[in-house]
Amino acid sequence: MTEQENNTKDTEQENDELKVVMPDADWSTMTQEEFAEQPDYLQVFTDFYISQFNQRDLEIMDRYDTSANMVDINHYLLDNIKFSRKELIRHVLQYHAANFQSLIDEIAKKDEVDPSKMTAYIDWDNWYEDRRSKIENSLS
């Protein structure tokens, strides 16, 4: 065997020893998230709440927050504000429906309203403006 053949054989052995073997990728897919069905009044209230949040006008809503529900909701909204409104409603209700329901329950108790009949955005908007008008020294 010639010196060149010897060098080639040594190089091939070194290459075999240094060869990195990559395992095949183990692919997995995430299952599609399933969203719980929510009542219409809760979806409409959530839409209204997000609107007020975007306008930085939640002062009246704060009067009905007895358990710091708004902190959890607002934190989620800030982190996910890039969603479209429709998607944001679905997603925030997926994780914070109980927080919204707690606000609604407090509103129903203090103002004697039936939230299940407030299924249009204008219903909540009128309720909010009515509460605002009853505040002494209100500028609006």
Side-chain angles (χ1 to χ4, degrees):
M1 191 180 272
T2 66
E3 189 173 328
Q4 185 177 11
E5 289 173 338
N6 248 352
N7 288 341
T8 306
K9 186 177 179 183
D10 289 340
T11 305
E12 287 175 5
Q13 284 178 337
E14 286 177 15
N15 286 343
D16 286 342
E17 290 174 10
L18 298 175
K19 193 173 191 177
V20 176
V21 178
M22 295 294 293
D24 289 335
D26 185 18
W27 295 99
S28 61
T29 57
M30 291 179 60
T31 58
Q32 185 72 18
E33 185 171 10
E34 294 193 24
F35 292 93
E37 195 64 33
Q38 303 293 346
D40 287 341
Y41 74 89
L42 189 57
Q43 291 179 44
V44 172
F45 177 77
T46 303
D47 186 25
F48 174 76
Y49 184 96
I50 293 170
S51 175
Q52 297 304 110
F53 174 83
N54 288 338
Q55 296 173 39
R56 293 175 171 80
D57 186 18
L58 291 172
E59 291 82 16
I60 298 199
M61 199 69 68
D62 189 50
R63 295 170 174 239
Y64 301 92
D65 188 13
T66 58
S67 303
N69 291 297
M70 291 174 62
V71 172
D72 293 337
I73 294 168
N74 294 351
H75 183 74
Y76 186 88
L77 293 176
L78 282 172
D79 287 345
N80 295 285
I81 204 68
K82 298 293 182 191
F83 281 127
S84 69
R85 176 71 68 87
K86 187 175 181 178
E87 286 184 55
L88 187 55
I89 292 167
R90 281 183 359 151
H91 283 265
V92 75
L93 282 175
Q94 183 75 353
Y95 302 104
H96 295 287
N99 296 107
F100 283 108
Q101 188 62 56
S102 186
L103 286 173
I104 289 173
D105 292 345
E106 202 58 34
I107 290 167
K109 183 171 78 174
K110 287 183 178 178
D111 291 351
E112 298 179 6
V113 296
D114 183 0
S116 65
K117 293 182 180 174
M118 298 178 75
T119 57
Y121 185 95
I122 193 74
D123 295 333
W124 287 108
D125 195 42
N126 289 339
W127 165 81
Y128 207 72
E129 288 306 314
D130 183 53
R131 294 309 163 267
R132 183 187 314 276
S133 69
K134 291 180 179 177
I135 298 174
E136 290 185 28
N137 301 324
S138 176
L139 297 176
S140 53

